[in-house]
């Protein structure tokens, strides 16, 4: 087992290095691009040529997912999403808001090594990961118009950003962890005071006045993201919540404290939601599994409950120790 973990660790390092090399950019010369100072292109400027039509369809898929490819889509063949969420429920403002998991610049970040799959993957595979997890649905066929539209939109919204750039404003800003398990009682209080107005006391959201989606999405229940989604991890959810919620908040003007975001994320992710099959196949190198992944198997002996709610520093320390042991076996 130790030899296997060691070998997988080495493969991961070389795979990541090869991705950088494949772009022809020495690691030391990777440019930095600040998305917080970037004005994304205007969808209203897109033309009606073949590429422009795909971009506009991609924008529709981002902003009106439920109607386009959700469970109630007019064409049953196109019902790829398993819930009525919208892509921009997580990728705010059609994937253009900094530190709200923006798509801006993502085009130039692939191919990319991802620990969840344990291999270098394509942007198409990343999109389908969202479809199968956050949208609790099924993969888009690679040759489908929908996949081509998502790709076209991602390329268009990344216009002017160097491939492989280090993106300031990508993902979500981390929270400062309180060094304890999430306090679910306090999280419930924060939810009732701050979140329930939009997402409902029952967490099931508020449906849109028209169309098939939500004005405010459900945070748990049968129409929410499944337990294999990135948002199902406490630290990922806390980072997003702290710097983007309530709606209208930005990273520069947070409403919640780090502890509030940490506890309410734990509360939300402790509620019932769809369960994804075969999660035991995620992170074939368990040393690369994020500490807040709420499902096993794990490289360490900590409980699923601690992986789900923290504290996380003891887990990090153990993983560091295991990694050092694997290195010493080379």
């Amino acid at each position: 087992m130790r030899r296997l973990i060691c070998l997988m660790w080495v493969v991961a390092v070389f795979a990541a290095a090869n991705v950088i090399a494949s772009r022809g950019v020495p690691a030391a010369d990777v440019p930095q691009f600040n998305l917080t100072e970037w004005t994304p292109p205007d969808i209203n400027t897109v033309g009606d040529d073949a590429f422009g039509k795909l971009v506009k369809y991609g924008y529709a898929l981002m902003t009106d997912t439920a109607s386009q490819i959700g469970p109630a889509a007019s064409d049953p063949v196109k019902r790829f999403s398993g819930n009525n969420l919208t892509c921009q429920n997580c990728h705010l403002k059609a994937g253009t808001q900094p530190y709200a998991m923006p798509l801006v610049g993502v085009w130039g970040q692939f191919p990319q090594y991802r620990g969840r799959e344990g291999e270098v993957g394509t942007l198409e595979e990343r999109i389908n990961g969202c479809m199968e997890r956050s949208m609790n649905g099924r993969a888009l066929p690679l040759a489908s118009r929908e996949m081509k539209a998502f790709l076209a939109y991602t390329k268009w919204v990344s216009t002017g950003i160097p491939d492989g750039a280090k993106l300031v404003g990508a993902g979500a800003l981390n929270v400062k962890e309180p060094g304890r398990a999430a306090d679910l009682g306090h999280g419930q209080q924060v939810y009732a005071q701050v979140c329930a107005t939009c997402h409902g006391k029952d967490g099931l959201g508020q449906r849109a006045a028209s169309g098939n989606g939500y004005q405010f999405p459900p945070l748990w229940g049968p129409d929410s993201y499944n337990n294999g989604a990135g948002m199902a991890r406490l630290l990922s959810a806390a980072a997003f919540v702290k710097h983007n919620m309530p709606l209208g908040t930005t990273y520069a003007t947070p409403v919640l404290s780090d502890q509030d975001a940490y506890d309410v994320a734990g509360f939300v992710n402790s509620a019932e939601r769809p369960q994804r099959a075969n999660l035991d196949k995620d992170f074939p190198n368990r040393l690369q599994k994020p500490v807040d992944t709420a499902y096993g198997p794990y490289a360490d002996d900590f409980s699923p409950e601690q992986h789900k709610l923290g504290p996380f520093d003891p887990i990090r320390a153990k993983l560091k120790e295991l990694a050092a042991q694997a290195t010493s076996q080379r």
Side-chain angles (χ1 to χ4, degrees):
M1 175 59 73
R2 287 181 177 176
R3 290 182 178 178
L4 176 59
I5 291 175
C6 179
L7 176 60
M8 295 179 74
W9 186 266
V10 172
V11 168
V13 171
F14 275 98
N18 286 336
V19 169
I20 294 175
S22 70
R23 297 190 182 118
V25 181
D29 297 330
V30 173
Q32 179 170 289
F33 199 94
N34 193 337
L35 303 183
T36 69
E37 300 174 352
W38 173 248
T39 300
D42 184 350
I43 191 66
N44 294 313
T45 66
V46 177
D48 286 324
D49 59 358
F51 179 72
K53 288 178 180 178
L54 277 177
V55 169
K56 286 188 278 192
Y57 185 38
Y59 178 81
L61 294 176
M62 288 291 300
T63 59
D64 190 25
T65 319
S67 296
Q68 300 292 330
I69 55 174
S74 58
D75 184 351
V77 175
K78 293 187 177 183
R79 293 173 185 171
F80 296 105
S81 178
N83 58 36
N84 287 287
L85 299 184
T86 299
C87 294
Q88 69 171 358
N89 287 148
C90 292
H91 305 281
L92 298 184
K93 294 184 178 179
T96 64
Q97 182 165 312
Y99 292 120
M101 292 183 284
L103 301 184
V104 182
V106 166
W107 177 262
Q109 302 297 311
F110 285 83
Q112 181 186 90
Y113 177 81
R114 291 182 57 79
R116 190 169 69 189
E117 291 74 32
E119 62 185 16
V120 174
T122 64
L123 181 54
E124 291 91 334
E125 290 170 325
R126 183 70 186 93
I127 290 168
N128 275 334
C130 279
M131 290 301 305
E132 295 175 319
R133 295 168 186 261
S134 298
M135 309 307 288
N136 195 37
R138 59 191 176 95
L140 300 170
L142 297 184
S144 67
R145 183 167 178 255
E146 287 68 34
M147 177 60 79
K148 292 178 180 179
F150 272 122
L151 293 173
Y153 180 76
T154 305
K155 179 176 176 58
W156 172 79
V157 84
S158 302
T159 300
I161 300 177
D163 287 354
K166 180 180 179 181
L167 302 174
V168 177
L173 280 173
N174 293 333
V175 298
K176 182 178 180 181
E177 297 169 38
R180 56 166 173 76
D183 183 334
L184 300 188
H186 179 238
Q188 185 174 18
Q189 292 175 2
V190 174
Y191 183 86
Q193 294 167 2
V194 181
C195 314
T197 301
C198 294
H199 296 285
K201 293 181 180 179
D202 56 6
L204 301 183
Q206 295 185 41
R207 295 304 293 254
S210 61
N212 299 310
Y214 288 89
Q215 181 179 7
F216 302 104
L219 300 183
W220 60 79
D223 214 25
S224 189
Y225 53 89
N226 66 41
N227 66 324
M231 199 66 81
R233 290 170 38 207
L234 186 152
L235 295 178
S236 295
F240 180 83
V241 167
K242 164 72 186 289
H243 300 103
N244 296 288
M245 291 290 127
L247 193 64
T249 299
T250 70
Y251 74 95
T253 57
V255 172
L256 297 178
S257 68
D258 291 301
Q259 293 193 22
D260 286 344
Y262 184 86
D263 290 340
V264 78
F267 170 73
V268 167
N269 280 334
S270 293
E272 292 294 323
R273 65 185 60 262
Q275 301 292 294
R276 178 170 168 78
N278 301 317
L279 288 178
D280 58 309
K281 296 179 181 178
D282 285 1
F283 300 99
N285 182 348
R286 296 173 191 170
L287 290 174
Q288 295 178 0
K289 199 166 195 173
V291 294
D292 58 338
T293 306
Y295 55 86
Y298 303 111
D300 55 73
D301 296 325
F302 291 94
S303 68
E305 183 76 2
Q306 184 161 346
H307 278 278
K308 181 177 182 178
L309 298 175
F312 300 110
D313 278 343
I315 303 175
R316 292 189 182 96
K318 183 61 177 180
L319 290 175
K320 185 177 180 180
E321 176 187 332
L322 291 172
Q325 291 175 3
T327 301
S328 68
Q329 297 299 313
R330 292 181 183 176

